Amino acid sequence: MRTVLHPARAVALGFLAAIVVGTLLLMLPAARTGPDGAPVLVAFFTAVSAVCVNGLAVVDTGTYWSGFGQGMIMFMFQCGGFGMMTAATLLGLLVNGSPRLRTKLMTHMETRTLGLGDVAAVARLVLVVTFAAELIIAAVLTLRLRYGYDLPWGEAAWSGSFHAVAAFTNAGFSIHPDSMMRYAGDVLVLLPMMLAIVVGGVGFPVLHDLRNRWHDPRHWSLHTKLTLAGTALLLVGGTVALLLAEWHNTRTLGGLPLPDKLLGASFMSVAARTAGFNAVDIGALTQESLALHYFLMFIGGGSASTAGGVKVATVAILVLLVLAEVRGHADTEAFGRRIGASAQRQAITVVVLGSAVVVAGTMVLLAVTDFPTDHIIFEVTSAFGGAGLSTGITAQLPPSGQLLLTLLMYLGRVGTITLAASLVLGGRRMPYRYAEEHPIVG
Amino acid sequence: MRTVLHPARAVALGFLAAIVVGTLLLMLPAARTGPDGAPVLVAFFTAVSAVCVNGLAVVDTGTYWSGFGQGMIMFMFQCGGFGMMTAATLLGLLVNGSPRLRTKLMTHMETRTLGLGDVAAVARLVLVVTFAAELIIAAVLTLRLRYGYDLPWGEAAWSGSFHAVAAFTNAGFSIHPDSMMRYAGDVLVLLPMMLAIVVGGVGFPVLHDLRNRWHDPRHWSLHTKLTLAGTALLLVGGTVALLLAEWHNTRTLGGLPLPDKLLGASFMSVAARTAGFNAVDIGALTQESLALHYFLMFIGGGSASTAGGVKVATVAILVLLVLAEVRGHADTEAFGRRIGASAQRQAITVVVLGSAVVVAGTMVLLAVTDFPTDHIIFEVTSAFGGAGLSTGITAQLPPSGQLLLTLLMYLGRVGTITLAASLVLGGRRMPYRYAEEHPIVG
Ligand SMILES: [K+]
Ligand SMILES: [K+]
């Protein structure tokens, strides 16, 4: 195993290759409106953002890029989202799957046969789910744009498809400079998008479990239960908190009637983790809302999904660990199951390393720019968590700052799905154990 | 044990009682300059800050309070610091000490004899260390103020004693409105104070270990090694980082010659965790330095010391856990010892709950005021971590904000030393175990 390509490393290199190809494609003069091609930094930033289904942008997607360029970007985040879901599912199977399958996959890796059979089976399922969901949402959006906004059929279909794919893949790219702000209050646009975001962001293992055991919630896996409960809690809690924080802010939800307030807050809560569309102006949010966004964006969505962040189940494990400790229980438990010690250690590692990356990124960006701290933290968390929301400073950052954001986007998406797998597969038993000692805590 | 006063609860109530008495004393007209007594909120805030050796202030200590009032405040932080060290040492012994001593103490608790013998032994040692250190530092400072600044003997002795006690107890109160800024560059004032801060903040268990086994570092406890190594790393790392962040800032260290730059940065690094004196204007620091302070203040000093924060050893355990996981080791190790699983769970719990308190405090303070986010985070972390540094907004906060800070000061100091003890002593074995399951992480 040590001599062949580690599966986690293969995934990391695959995304890197996609970024390089995407950069070259976006540098073609045909990708950009006007006669010249895009500068390398713009093309690179956009390719990273698209492949990592992030959505941060240094130029306006709808006017800077040609139809061909926008198509390339859509193709990249479609492939990126599909790749995230497939790669994370396979790595997850490798780590957590049945011993039989794990051995089978590892043998494939060792004999360099790449386990094409298993990869194909998972990929096929992901493909079916992806296209079925995207087709339905695209159709709904197209009809709404045709009859509600009088767009010609072609334009309605293009906008509907682009935003349906961007929603399901949680990429959050929009061909509008104001994202979804022109549809604020339109439940027939926002609700389908919220559905696409949630379904794409809940993760393949959960979708798989739901499909196979829809009528039997008691036999869902612990992962499914944790992810669904955590997602519901975050959506409802996020909506209520954002509603309170923006209730009197006339630049966002303040002046709206109650149903529009509710719709706006729930769309914000759904999109913050980690779709990244916005139906209100992010730059006009209160400081409380910005701070709420840090956490929603850092947590993100479900494992092996198109969503980013450290993932709902990871944070759930950490919270359950603390609750167990406070209640004096030796075991960390949920839904009548005990969470394994190694899963707990991995969860802590992912959260601590994720926090360290966000902190380091914030420090560097504070040092190379003069923007206020709350906007810097927002942009760094958005890049790392994959939300792609922006207070508006990303386009104004110096090249060093933009390069830092590309690194954060890559680490945030590719890093989190490969880390847990590398941890487990790289594990080795020590030939001896030291004597135990108990330092004072607190 | 369930029917008698839990030792952790006794400690919490003891500090509460001291705060109530302190508030009443500070409301006496004699405590304040001018004819009237202090309003209850000012007296309460000051009493909490003094008893919790925090140092945040809503009024100028040197001019608002009379000599009697200043003496009361000094008495409160002297008792507070002494109480912190003694209580945390006793609770630590209860939790981590030899089984014999633990049983003995618990028996005392159960029979309501209060374990006066053990309490007295620890208290006597703490007293000797405290007064010896404070006397030496007070003498040095007095001589310096007498001969370097031509203060009359009485004034020099008063200022020297006040600041020596405030330094050793990490209280950080000063009779000067600008804290130590008038002594910036004076190594003969700042160095003794740094020594007092470090000795007071390293913790009684470490001092005890050093005194008994000075020539035999190999047999120091793991706790001593972790705390000393962590403290050294934080002091050097903090100095270098702050030096870089303020190198060109002409309002702080920018215009100074190299030795003064070094002295200023190292004093800042020492005082940030958690003494809270400042020799430069906190309000003039760069955003990077403010962000660095968040972490230094949150981590704080050594366990069972006069310093606050979640403690150096706690953070060290968390870092070692992550390092072990990344390297694929099943055991968390340091200095040839394995760190117990329960200590790891406690460390995670203390850090997570501490972060939750800081986050909740930040959210509430953001909601009730309009100050910028970076200053709000600074003030909340300073209150929780016990540093008592201020960007200047504490005195301008509305009553609700000031009350929130008192709650944070109390939770940050009394909470962290009682939490670990309550966790362990409240622990109970469950009669059954659930089946294990391994959710997907990341
Ligand atoms: K996104
Ligand atoms: K202090």
Side-chain angles (χ1 to χ4, degrees):
Chain A
M1 181 198 143
R2 299 239 166 250
T3 51
V4 298
L5 198 58
H6 189 295
R9 207 166 297 142
V11 168
L13 288 175
F15 279 98
L16 217 50
I19 289 168
V20 172
V21 172
T23 305
L24 294 175
L25 284 173
L26 288 178
M27 285 176 73
L28 296 176
R32 188 179 161 183
T33 52
D36 295 324
V40 61
L41 182 57
V42 171
F44 176 67
F45 190 97
T46 308
V48 172
S49 183
V51 169
C52 295
V53 288
N54 189 296
L56 276 178
V58 287
V59 294
D60 175 33
T61 307
T63 54
Y64 186 91
W65 304 105
S66 65
F68 169 73
Q70 292 174 28
M72 280 297 109
I73 291 171
M74 180 175 161
F75 181 70
M76 276 188 260
F77 61 69
Q78 173 70 89
C79 292
F82 171 76
M84 294 286 167
M85 239 177 169
T86 316
T89 303
L90 286 169
L91 289 177
L93 282 175
L94 214 54
V95 174
N96 307 299
S98 64
R100 208 180 53 80
L101 180 55
R102 180 173 166 177
T103 317
K104 210 166 130 199
L105 282 175
M106 288 310 295
T107 313
H108 284 309
M109 300 296 164
E110 280 168 32
T111 55
R112 295 182 186 258
T113 59
L114 283 165
L116 277 179
D118 301 295
V119 173
V122 169
R124 204 161 40 231
L125 268 170
V126 174
L127 264 186
V128 170
V129 172
T130 301
F131 283 125
E134 287 175 356
L135 261 178
I136 297 169
I137 304 294
V140 173
L141 289 181
T142 302
L143 288 174
R144 177 64 186 162
L145 293 176
R146 173 71 191 91
Y147 294 109
Y149 295 83
D150 284 328
L151 290 192
W153 273 109
E155 219 177 298
W158 171 238
S159 176
S161 310
F162 190 95
H163 290 116
V165 176
F168 182 82
T169 58
N170 273 262
F173 276 92
S174 173
I175 51 176
H176 308 313
D178 60 354
S179 189
M180 295 292 115
M181 284 168 65
R182 65 187 63 191
Y183 306 120
D186 185 347
V187 70
L188 291 175
V189 169
L190 297 187
L191 199 63
M193 293 196 61
M194 284 158 73
L195 269 175
I197 293 168
V198 171
V199 172
V202 83
F204 184 75
V206 173
L207 293 178
H208 194 256
D209 221 9
L210 288 182
R211 203 193 61 158
N212 291 353
R213 286 184 274 268
W214 178 248
H215 294 292
D216 190 15
R218 287 201 315 126
H219 287 98
W220 291 347
S221 72
L222 178 56
H223 179 79
T224 297
K225 291 176 185 165
L226 284 181
T227 301
L228 289 180
T231 301
L233 216 68
L234 284 171
L235 289 183
V236 174
T239 302
V240 171
L242 289 166
L243 203 55
L244 287 176
E246 298 297 323
W247 192 268
H248 294 295
N249 185 351
T250 50
R251 295 172 63 199
T252 57
L253 307 178
L256 304 178
L258 184 64
D260 288 9
K261 269 198 173 93
L262 276 172
L263 179 66
S266 53
F267 186 79
M268 218 189 305
S269 173
V270 168
R273 330 162 20 253
T274 57
F277 291 108
N278 54 298
V280 301
D281 181 6
I282 297 290
L285 290 177
T286 63
Q287 293 184 77
E288 299 92 284
S289 291
L290 290 184
L292 281 168
H293 271 78
Y294 305 157
F295 296 95
L296 295 175
M297 296 193 296
F298 184 78
I299 296 172
S303 306
S305 75
T306 58
V310 295
K311 306 297 183 310
V312 172
T314 310
V315 174
I317 293 172
L318 196 60
V319 170
L320 290 167
L321 189 166
V322 170
L323 283 182
E325 185 67 16
V326 167
R327 293 165 66 201
H329 295 191
D331 287 342
T332 301
E333 299 158 352
F335 298 107
R337 286 284 180 281
R338 177 161 50 92
I339 295 171
S342 65
Q344 297 182 42
R345 279 206 309 274
Q346 286 165 32
I348 297 157
T349 304
V350 168
V351 170
V352 169
L353 291 183
S355 310
V357 169
V358 168
V359 166
T362 301
M363 290 291 179
V364 173
L365 215 49
L366 279 173
V368 300
T369 70
D370 283 323
F371 292 105
T373 303
D374 52 348
H375 287 197
I376 297 271
I377 302 178
F378 190 96
E379 226 73 5
V380 167
T381 323
S382 179
F384 175 81
L389 292 170
S390 174
T391 56
I393 67 171
T394 287
Q396 307 169 48
L397 290 177
S400 59
Q402 296 185 347
L403 281 174
L404 176 72
L405 289 186
T406 61
L407 181 66
L408 289 168
M409 290 194 270
Y410 182 79
L411 284 179
R413 295 310 303 266
V414 182
T416 42
I417 64 172
T418 54
L419 177 64
S422 353
L423 294 181
V424 174
L425 297 178
R428 52 201 160 101
R429 301 215 168 275
M430 305 305 285
Y432 52 86
R433 290 191 90 180
Y434 288 122
E436 186 173 297
E437 202 170 325
H438 192 302
I440 304 172
V441 169
Chain B
M1 182 200 145
R2 299 237 167 252
T3 52
V4 298
L5 199 58
H6 189 295
R9 207 165 297 144
V11 168
L13 288 176
F15 279 98
L16 217 51
I19 288 168
V20 171
V21 173
T23 305
L24 294 175
L25 284 173
L26 287 179
M27 284 176 75
L28 295 176
R32 188 179 162 183
T33 50
D36 295 325
V40 61
L41 181 58
V42 171
F44 176 66
F45 191 98
T46 308
V48 172
S49 183
V51 169
C52 295
V53 286
N54 190 296
L56 276 178
V58 287
V59 294
D60 175 35
T61 307
T63 53
Y64 187 91
W65 304 106
S66 65
F68 168 74
Q70 291 174 28
M72 279 297 109
I73 291 170
M74 180 176 162
F75 181 70
M76 277 188 260
F77 62 69
Q78 173 70 89
C79 292
F82 171 76
M84 293 286 167
M85 239 177 168
T86 315
T89 303
L90 286 169
L91 289 177
L93 282 175
L94 214 54
V95 174
N96 307 297
S98 64
R100 208 180 53 78
L101 181 55
R102 181 174 165 175
T103 318
K104 209 165 133 200
L105 282 176
M106 288 310 295
T107 313
H108 284 310
M109 299 298 164
E110 280 167 30
T111 54
R112 296 183 185 256
T113 60
L114 281 165
L116 277 179
D118 301 294
V119 174
V122 170
R124 202 162 41 233
L125 268 170
V126 174
L127 263 187
V128 170
V129 172
T130 301
F131 283 124
E134 287 176 356
L135 261 178
I136 296 169
I137 304 294
V140 173
L141 289 180
T142 302
L143 288 174
R144 177 62 186 163
L145 293 176
R146 174 70 191 90
Y147 293 108
Y149 295 82
D150 284 329
L151 291 192
W153 273 110
E155 220 176 297
W158 170 237
S159 176
S161 310
F162 190 94
H163 291 116
V165 175
F168 183 83
T169 59
N170 273 262
F173 276 91
S174 172
I175 52 176
H176 307 314
D178 60 355
S179 188
M180 294 293 116
M181 283 167 66
R182 64 187 64 191
Y183 305 120
D186 186 348
V187 69
L188 292 177
V189 169
L190 297 188
L191 200 63
M193 292 196 61
M194 283 158 73
L195 268 176
I197 293 168
V198 171
V199 172
V202 84
F204 184 75
V206 173
L207 293 177
H208 193 256
D209 222 9
L210 288 181
R211 202 193 61 160
N212 290 353
R213 286 183 275 267
W214 179 247
H215 293 292
D216 190 15
R218 288 201 317 126
H219 287 97
W220 290 348
S221 72
L222 178 57
H223 179 79
T224 298
K225 291 175 185 167
L226 284 181
T227 301
L228 289 180
T231 301
L233 215 68
L234 283 172
L235 290 183
V236 174
T239 302
V240 171
L242 289 166
L243 202 55
L244 288 176
E246 297 298 324
W247 191 269
H248 294 295
N249 186 351
T250 48
R251 295 172 63 198
T252 56
L253 307 177
L256 304 179
L258 186 63
D260 287 10
K261 269 199 174 90
L262 276 173
L263 179 66
S266 53
F267 186 79
M268 219 189 304
S269 174
V270 168
R273 326 163 25 253
T274 58
F277 291 108
N278 55 299
V280 300
D281 181 5
I282 296 290
L285 289 178
T286 63
Q287 292 184 81
E288 300 92 284
S289 292
L290 289 184
L292 281 168
H293 270 78
Y294 305 157
F295 296 95
L296 296 174
M297 295 193 297
F298 184 77
I299 297 172
S303 306
S305 75
T306 58
V310 294
K311 306 300 184 303
V312 173
T314 310
V315 174
I317 292 172
L318 197 60
V319 170
L320 290 167
L321 187 167
V322 171
L323 283 182
E325 184 67 15
V326 168
R327 293 166 65 202
H329 294 191
D331 287 343
T332 301
E333 299 159 350
F335 298 107
R337 285 284 181 282
R338 176 161 50 91
I339 295 171
S342 65
Q344 297 182 41
R345 279 205 309 276
Q346 286 166 31
I348 296 158
T349 304
V350 168
V351 170
V352 169
L353 290 183
S355 309
V357 169
V358 167
V359 166
T362 300
M363 290 290 178
V364 173
L365 215 49
L366 278 173
V368 300
T369 70
D370 284 322
F371 291 105
T373 303
D374 53 347
H375 286 196
I376 297 273
I377 303 177
F378 191 97
E379 226 73 5
V380 167
T381 323
S382 179
F384 175 80
L389 292 170
S390 176
T391 57
I393 68 172
T394 287
Q396 306 169 48
L397 290 176
S400 60
Q402 296 185 347
L403 282 174
L404 176 72
L405 289 185
T406 60
L407 181 66
L408 289 169
M409 289 193 271
Y410 182 79
L411 283 178
R413 296 309 304 264
V414 181
T416 43
I417 63 172
T418 54
L419 177 64
S422 349
L423 294 181
V424 175
L425 296 179
R428 53 200 159 100
R429 299 214 170 274
M430 305 305 285
Y432 53 87
R433 289 190 92 180
Y434 288 122
E436 186 174 295
E437 203 171 323
H438 193 300
I440 304 171
V441 169

